[in-house]
Amino acid sequence: MSLTPVLLGLGSNVRREPHLHAGLDALAELLVDMRCSPVFESLAVGYKGDNFYNLVVAGDTELPLTELDRRLKFIEADNGRYAPDRKGLPLDIDVLLYGELVGNFHGLLLPRAEILKNAFVLWPLALLAPTVRHPAADASFAELWAQSTIDQQLWPVPFQWRGAELTPPELVRAHPPRCA
């Protein structure tokens, strides 16, 4: 079976670091050549609650889209996403791009609309995959970020996973929090 490049968005606003670590560990089992963007903290958008940590993951998968999405739901469930008494959003994982697919695939709209609507998706994409082109907007993620007028507050935060610093210290220094 051939490999398909994927971009996934991750977010958490409950025990953010442990849930993102768990999500990344699980994704490392599903993806080949997995790479992570810097991690950003943002105010909750479209959701009441504490600030979120967000990042984007790139990699390749042998899994068909529906199977990948099913496994992502299991990872979310393992982290309390669907618990009836949950507070906040422990772990959210969204398929942003799956190859160059455009359209509705069993209820999964690709590319995911949040790419162009939310800075906490577009900025990490611009840093992780600057030359990758959005298949519907016909522009690279770096170009889209440079042209963006999204008005959301977010800032890079120090974050380590498996001993590696995902967010470069110079990025954190260059973009201090505008609010906390």
Side-chain angles (χ1 to χ4, degrees), residues 36-40 121-130 141-142 145 156 168 171:
C36 301
S37 76
V39 177
F40 290 84
V121 178
L122 188 53
W123 192 2
L125 278 170
L127 293 172
L128 180 63
F141 291 125
W145 178 245
L171 184 65

Side-chain angles (χ1 to χ4, degrees), residues 105-129:
F105 303 89
H106 306 285
L108 198 61
L109 297 174
L110 295 174
R112 192 157 178 97
E114 284 82 356
I115 293 172
L116 300 177
K117 293 179 182 175
N118 291 313
F120 59 80
V121 178
L122 188 53
W123 192 2
L125 278 170
L127 293 172
L128 180 63

